[in-house]
Amino acid sequence: MTPSSCSQTTAAAGCLDLATVSDIISHQHWSRLKVLAGITSAAAAAQLLHLLLDSPHADPPTVRRLFRWSESHFHSSHPLPLHCRLLHSLAAAKLYSDLRSELHSLAKSGRHSAPSILHSLSISSDTRRRGASLSVIADMLVLALVKNSRTESALEAFYRAGDYRCRLSILSCNPLLNSLIKEGRIENVEKVYKEMIRRRIAPNLITFNTVINGLCKAGKLRRAGDVVEDMKSWGLSPSVITYNTLIDGYCKKGQAGKMYKADALLREMVSAKIHPNVVTFNTLIDGYCKDGNTSAAMRFLEEMNRQELSPNVVTYNSLINGLCSEGKVDGALGLLKEMEDSNAMPNVVTFNGIVLGFCKKGMLAEAKGLLDDMLERNLAPSVITFNTLIDGYCRSGLMEGATGLKRLMLGSGIRPNVPTYNCLISGFCRNGDMSSATKLLDEMEENSVKADLITYNVLISALCREQKTAKAVKLLDEMQEISLQPSHVTYNTLIDGLCKKGNLRAALNIRARMEKGGKHANVVTYNILIKYFSGRGKMDEANKLLNEMLEKGLVPNRVTYDIIKEEMVERGYIPDIDGHLCNDAA
DNA sequence: CTAGGGTTAG
């Protein structure tokens, strides 16, 4: 049975039958292909590819080999419809690893949008079982886009796939959800999750854990709890990962009493016979440390040892950071020693914590000594090590030392980043050395390090301190030009600067801009304005503002109390021993 | 394929 005659192969394959051509391709005799079959252009290759795809005898790997060779040989990419025919033929032959790698390069190239790929696939002439094969291809396409960090396109492909009645799987949907979380796009996580259920793509344990994680990261703890109920209704039980995720959510995003809730979750998991693991303890230890309760954290360390769960480097790092932020560097050094005697070897994060501890106490020689220790131990310092030290030097007013450290970091092959510049600029500003600060801004520009919110806040506060409020307002304009969202700090700093200069009208104007920018006046904003009026003896105005803030549900704080003490006492406010403000009437 | 640790303003 001869596959084809000369007349069928025509100009594209010269006067060879497709079996011979296939043979030449599978042996990669490309020069013979050019000479004998006349494949001397991308167009000729494309024509031959179509012939091979039409023929029931050419096998897909051979087609793919010719496709790849001709694209690289003629330095041009084939049209999308041809590419789609290749994808269909690979899918029909169930050559999934070839299909995956084709889709990977298609996703990587970024030449085509997700909708155009799906459209082209849907009208491709190939395969009788197009529906099933389209689903597999679309599923792999979404995955390939996710893996190539093209999350937006992956999301688009996810939605379009539904229009073509493709059945996607959790193999692509779970990674998509994860990428959306990593990019902080929680709204989309919820939408994709709901759409999955609508399309009857059965979520599995990992899907639920992922969605719960996204909601926790966004601080939507109640919604996360709802999803736990969802998973139960699907017959799935929360796992240790589910609990750890929820505990971390409460530790990082919970309101007052959050550690109590985290602890309640721990008890709940234990009574559900789910054993806490190292991550559970690490999460709780970090939570208690961040809550300023290192003694509770240390008790959990002891509990770990009792349960024969070995603390690891993460456990110790949380504790060391907690102790250092409370000024207990000695305790941190004790733990460092304990680490060295155990299997948890200190890493760069460990050292960064202790460097910060020393810096906070102004022990710069010790901090710098640790950097030298790291270099001696062949433990590479990171940009954060240098930033921490540089900030320490800046806060002690040692700007030459800080600049020297910047040179040292460059010598170690680490490039300064935004925080590096922010620390230095803030240091120079504190010293009133605006010209050095400005030079650094130019240097950032040269190195294409983009100024961020903190850079602007530092500069605005420095200009306000020097009463150069017009320049400060200009910086606010500039932020909006480059669509950098100003924060409460930005506005409050400006309002404070303008009030101090006696320019109330301008301050109120900034307040109006603040509301327009979607940021509502907070306690700090009111404190600034109340201070302005009470400082001028305008107690009526000050009282009006106090009422206004109460109406908005804002809670006055110790600063408010100190500004208008008499009025606050009259209203029943009393500061407690910790400096917090209480109201016995409330 | 899902969970935990480090720097900069105020």
Side-chain angles (χ1 to χ4, degrees):
Chain A
M1 183 167 90
T2 324
S4 60
S5 70
C6 281
S7 62
Q8 278 171 295
T9 52
T10 67
C15 207
L16 297 169
D17 61 55
L18 285 179
T20 312
V21 171
S22 294
D23 197 55
I24 292 173
I25 296 166
S26 49
H27 287 92
Q28 303 182 58
H29 292 152
W30 304 118
S31 54
R32 284 175 65 185
L33 186 74
K34 285 171 81 172
V35 175
L36 298 177
I39 306 303
T40 52
S41 69
Q47 209 177 340
L48 177 56
L49 281 163
H50 277 295
L51 283 172
L52 288 167
L53 285 160
D54 288 335
S55 151
H57 303 281
D59 68 330
T62 303
V63 178
R64 180 168 181 235
R65 188 164 280 159
L66 173 61
F67 193 98
R68 288 274 138 246
W69 170 78
S70 56
E71 278 204 341
S72 76
H73 188 80
F74 299 115
H75 304 290
S76 78
S77 37
H78 288 304
L80 186 56
L82 180 55
H83 209 153
C84 288
R85 288 198 69 186
L86 171 65
L87 295 171
H88 271 298
S89 79
L90 292 169
K94 299 198 190 305
L95 293 166
Y96 296 131
S97 69
D98 295 68
L99 180 57
R100 243 190 307 276
S101 83
E102 270 312 313
L103 284 162
H104 181 84
S105 55
L106 190 60
K108 193 175 174 184
S109 81
R111 268 197 308 277
H112 306 287
S113 71
S116 62
I117 295 170
L118 281 172
H119 176 254
S120 189
L121 280 168
S122 74
I123 59 172
S124 185
S125 56
D126 293 72
T127 91
R128 276 127 281 166
R129 293 177 59 248
R130 197 165 63 206
S133 131
L134 189 57
S135 287
V136 174
I137 301 171
D139 203 37
M140 288 186 172
L141 173 65
V142 171
L143 185 62
L145 290 165
V146 168
K147 283 190 175 167
N148 283 285
S149 312
R150 295 187 54 202
T151 312
E152 185 56 46
S153 300
L155 192 61
E156 222 173 351
F158 170 85
Y159 285 116
R160 285 302 179 98
D163 301 340
Y164 295 105
R165 304 253 171 274
C166 289
R167 298 280 304 209
L168 297 183
S169 78
I170 50 172
L171 295 171
S172 66
C173 295
N174 287 352
L176 171 62
L177 288 167
N178 224 332
S179 290
L180 290 168
I181 293 169
K182 295 228 164 80
E183 295 180 10
R185 301 170 62 177
I186 309 302
E187 312 280 289
N188 290 301
V189 171
E190 283 205 85
K191 278 188 193 154
V192 168
Y193 167 65
K194 285 185 181 143
E195 181 65 14
M196 280 174 75
I197 290 177
R198 201 184 68 77
R199 289 194 210 159
R200 311 203 184 292
I201 303 169
N204 65 358
L205 177 62
I206 293 172
T207 316
F208 285 112
N209 285 346
T210 306
V211 173
I212 290 166
N213 182 32
L215 292 167
C216 284
K217 292 262 155 29
K220 297 179 169 183
L221 301 175
R222 284 187 60 98
R223 281 286 299 124
D226 294 343
V227 177
V228 173
E229 295 309 311
D230 285 0
M231 82 189 278
K232 287 177 183 164
S233 71
W234 280 76
L236 294 168
S237 305
S239 67
V240 61
I241 295 184
T242 319
Y243 277 105
N244 288 350
T245 306
L246 288 167
I247 290 173
D248 192 52
Y250 276 100
C251 287
K252 293 202 172 64
K253 298 283 175 176
Q255 309 285 317
K258 60 188 187 175
M259 292 318 294
Y260 179 81
K261 287 217 172 162
D263 214 69
L265 281 165
L266 173 68
R267 285 194 299 271
E268 186 187 315
M269 73 190 281
V270 169
S271 60
K273 297 267 188 292
I274 294 165
H275 297 294
N277 62 15
V278 181
V279 176
T280 319
F281 279 100
N282 288 352
T283 306
L284 283 162
I285 286 172
D286 195 61
Y288 277 108
C289 284
K290 296 264 155 55
D291 205 36
N293 190 348
T294 47
S295 49
M298 289 300 287
R299 284 197 292 277
F300 274 104
L301 177 66
E302 288 159 21
E303 180 62 28
M304 282 179 89
N305 286 318
R306 266 196 296 280
Q307 299 198 12
E308 293 182 34
L309 279 173
S310 305
N312 62 17
V313 61
V314 177
T315 323
Y316 283 109
N317 287 349
S318 287
L319 284 163
I320 285 173
N321 281 308
L323 289 168
C324 284
S325 63
E326 287 183 4
K328 297 171 181 167
V329 191
D330 288 343
L333 288 171
L335 287 178
L336 177 64
K337 216 163 162 29
E338 203 174 303
M339 290 177 83
E340 283 161 343
D341 296 335
S342 76
N343 290 324
M345 286 313 283
N347 62 13
V348 58
V349 179
T350 320
F351 278 89
N352 289 348
I354 301 178
V355 167
L356 179 64
F358 278 132
C359 285
K360 279 193 171 160
K361 297 198 111 182
M363 299 166 75
L364 298 179
E366 287 81 355
K368 173 66 169 54
L370 275 178
L371 174 68
D372 300 333
D373 271 5
M374 291 175 78
L375 297 170
E376 242 173 68
R377 292 187 190 213
N378 264 334
L379 211 166
S382 66
V383 64
I384 296 177
T385 321
F386 280 102
N387 290 350
T388 307
L389 258 178
I390 287 172
D391 191 54
Y393 275 68
C394 288
R395 284 176 195 275
S396 299
L398 302 170
M399 296 312 296
E400 319 78 38
T403 308
L405 281 165
K406 198 188 78 178
R407 267 196 300 277
L408 184 60
M409 85 188 269
L410 279 167
S412 320
I414 299 172
R415 302 169 68 85
N417 60 9
V418 198
T420 319
Y421 283 107
N422 288 345
C423 293
L424 287 162
I425 289 171
S426 157
F428 281 121
C429 287
R430 266 192 298 265
N431 283 4
D433 185 354
M434 291 305 282
S435 85
S436 295
T438 309
K439 274 186 195 138
L440 281 174
L441 277 175
D442 296 337
E443 190 184 309
M444 284 175 81
E445 180 114 13
E446 278 166 35
N447 298 335
S448 50
V449 176
K450 299 238 183 305
D452 69 357
L453 174 67
I454 296 179
T455 321
Y456 277 95
N457 286 350
V458 166
L459 292 169
I460 287 172
S461 110
L463 288 169
C464 285
R465 235 186 346 257
E466 300 199 347
Q467 306 245 306
K468 293 174 180 164
T469 47
K471 280 192 175 177
V473 175
K474 270 221 166 78
L475 285 179
L476 179 68
D477 300 336
E478 196 177 303
M479 287 178 81
Q480 295 186 324
E481 273 163 34
I482 59 173
S483 47
L484 222 165
Q485 268 299 315
S487 64
H488 278 105
V489 176
T490 321
Y491 292 113
N492 287 341
T493 308
L494 264 171
I495 292 171
D496 188 53
L498 290 162
C499 282
K500 282 193 174 130
K501 234 185 143 182
N503 196 345
L504 179 67
R505 189 182 284 276
L508 292 177
N509 181 30
I510 298 297
R511 202 200 132 162
R513 280 177 73 170
M514 175 174 192
E515 301 286 340
K516 229 193 275 174
K519 291 272 184 285
H520 299 297
N522 61 14
V523 184
V524 179
T525 321
Y526 279 103
N527 285 347
I528 293 164
L529 294 170
I530 291 171
K531 186 174 176 185
Y532 173 88
F533 284 111
S534 67
R536 273 151 217 263
K538 298 184 176 175
M539 296 316 293
D540 287 354
E541 301 281 354
N543 256 314
K544 236 160 93 185
L545 282 163
L546 182 57
N547 289 332
E548 192 181 312
M549 79 184 274
L550 290 168
E551 275 163 30
K552 289 190 179 177
L554 294 170
V555 184
N557 59 18
R558 182 59 199 260
V559 178
T560 326
Y561 179 86
D562 289 339
I563 297 169
I564 39 169
K565 193 171 170 183
E566 279 174 37
E567 179 57 36
M568 296 296 281
V569 170
E570 212 168 291
R571 292 177 184 230
Y573 287 96
I574 300 162
D576 68 11
I577 287 175
D578 303 325
H580 296 297
L581 203 58
C582 311
N583 188 338
D584 45 15

